[in-house]
């Protein structure tokens, strides 16, 4: 989310070049967004791997390292895709740099972490289900506590507090990582058509 802010200026500053090259018929918006994504994915992959190794093993986290890395990588990728969309749809860089943190902040509040699901106003619960931040949080919570929940009262209490959906598909880490990937695709399509 917030870590995607550095990706906004490059997209905004490239806009005049993109308009000129598109007018000359060199490439369209889809090719441009795909090229930016490939360029930034290498940085995200390396950064996610380094972060994951340090945090997962340094903190002695439970569960699967692969799930932890996948959540970090795809959550970062979704954040970058939202940053692209903010940059593409904003009239200038200042607006885009203000819009991205506003979107991420709303996503943080409605993720079930800062405001637990039972306290989210009824009119906003739909947003919880489509929130990419919530998908990452749910996958991490399940990865950390699911195996321990039958033997540890603390783990069981954590899952009961933060996970409103029970043991269904919505709490499966693989489903949540898939939803992060889908969120990325949706944001990239919005960027392309904006």
């Amino acid at each position: 989310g917030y870590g995607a802010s550095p990706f906004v200026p490059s997209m905004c500053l490239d806009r005049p070049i993109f308009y000129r090259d598109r007018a000359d018929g060199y490439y369209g918006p889809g090719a441009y967004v795909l090229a930016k994504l490939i360029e930034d994915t290498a940085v995200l992959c390396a950064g996610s791997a380094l972060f994951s190794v340090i945090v997962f093993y340094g903190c002695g986290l439970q569960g699967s390292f692969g799930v932890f890395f996948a959540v970090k990588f795809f959550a970062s990728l979704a954040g970058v895709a939202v940053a692209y969309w903010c940059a593409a749809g904003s009239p200038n860089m200042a607006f885009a740099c203000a819009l991205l943190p506003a979107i991420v902040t709303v996503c943080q509040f409605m993720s079930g972490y800062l405001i637990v699901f039972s306290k989210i106003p009824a009119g906003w619960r739909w947003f919880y289900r489509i929130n990419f931040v919530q998908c990452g949080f749910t996958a991490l919570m399940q990865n950390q506590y699911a195996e321990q929940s039958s033997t540890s009262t603390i783990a069981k209490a954590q899952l009961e507090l933060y996970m409103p959906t029970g043991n269904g598909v919505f709490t499966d880490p693989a489903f949540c990582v898939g939803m992060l990937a889908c969120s990325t695709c949706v944001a990239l399509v919005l960027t392309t058509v904006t």
Side-chain angles (χ1 to χ4, degrees):
Y2 296 113
S5 294
F7 296 93
V8 171
S10 69
M11 193 114 173
C12 290
L13 295 173
D14 285 350
R15 190 176 294 173
I17 297 167
F18 168 71
Y19 287 151
R20 182 196 66 207
D21 289 351
R22 189 176 93 182
D24 290 343
Y26 291 132
Y27 51 83
Y32 174 74
V33 171
L34 183 62
K36 291 290 286 179
L37 182 68
I38 291 169
E39 172 188 358
D40 294 336
T41 297
V43 173
L44 289 175
C45 190
S48 295
L50 181 62
F51 175 88
S52 296
V53 167
I54 291 170
V55 172
F56 189 83
Y57 294 110
C59 294
L61 297 179
Q62 304 297 311
S64 166
F65 174 79
V67 170
F68 188 86
F69 170 75
V71 169
K72 172 61 178 143
F73 175 73
F74 282 108
S76 297
L77 198 60
V80 168
V82 171
Y84 288 171
W85 176 68
C86 290
S90 297
N92 56 48
M93 186 167 38
F95 188 83
C97 287
L99 180 61
L100 178 63
I103 290 170
V104 172
T105 300
V106 170
C107 289
Q108 289 275 350
F109 278 117
M110 299 300 165
S111 69
Y113 176 67
L114 295 174
I115 302 173
V116 294
F117 183 78
S118 62
K119 303 292 183 191
I120 293 175
W124 280 94
R125 289 194 178 168
W126 63 271
F127 188 72
Y128 173 88
R129 301 284 183 216
I130 63 167
N131 184 351
F132 76 96
V133 176
Q134 174 271 326
C135 292
F137 178 64
T138 298
L140 291 177
M141 289 293 290
Q142 289 293 327
N143 191 46
Q144 177 68 21
Y145 295 115
E147 289 181 16
Q148 304 169 13
S149 64
S150 61
T151 60
S152 169
T153 56
I154 294 172
K156 184 176 180 181
Q158 290 295 317
L159 287 177
E160 287 174 357
L161 176 63
Y162 290 113
M163 304 292 109
T165 53
N167 293 325
V169 68
F170 291 105
T171 60
D172 180 47
F175 176 81
C176 292
V177 170
M179 289 300 294
L180 284 169
C182 288
S183 298
T184 301
C185 292
V186 168
L188 291 173
V189 167
L190 289 172
T191 301
T192 302
V193 299
T194 301

